[in-house]
Amino acid sequence: MMPPKHAPVSQAITGDESADPATPLGALSEFYRAFNRRDLALMRQNWQPDECVLDNPLGGIRRGWDEIEALYTRLFTGGAIVQVVFFDYTLHEGADLFIAAGRERGHFESADSARNPVRIELALRTSRVYRKAEGRWRQIHHHGSIEDPSLLARYQLAVMGD
């Protein structure tokens, strides 16, 4: 059996890297910076507004920036804090498209009750697709999934409610 062409990268992308968004690692770092800092303007900059699709445990399938933005607005302005990093990933790059496939780990914390705080450790499978546009990479597709059904149910209930 031949070894995989692309060995997974274990060094996590946290969003704290200082990398140019004109590079694949910079575009990924920009996404995680926007997500972990709850920065909707930076998040908007990372996505290609007229050609994007998101499919994840919280939002289902969202098409176009307006639908995706509504999900991030709800997440960023709600009482929950979600922090994630990207690791164990491979990059597959072409001339004007790249795919990042790996895992996210992190946590969800509710901020609505000091007497009964909720903390959930997260483990997701994640892929992101970026297209080169106007001299930089812009995200056109994201898919995330949680393998453990009980973790998925707890996370959805905690973030989205009944």
Side-chain angles (χ1 to χ4, degrees), residues 31-48:
F31 171 82
Y32 287 95
R33 182 171 34 264
F35 187 88
N36 289 326
R37 294 181 184 172
R38 301 163 67 117
D39 185 335
L40 193 57
L42 187 58
M43 184 65 74
R44 184 180 300 114
Q45 202 173 285
N46 191 258
W47 285 84
Q48 181 66 30

Side-chain angles (χ1 to χ4, degrees), residues 47-53 64-65 131 139-141:
W47 285 84
Q48 181 66 30
D50 59 343
E51 184 192 8
C52 53
V53 177
W65 175 248
R131 180 180 306 283
Q139 192 166 188
I140 60 171
H141 178 74

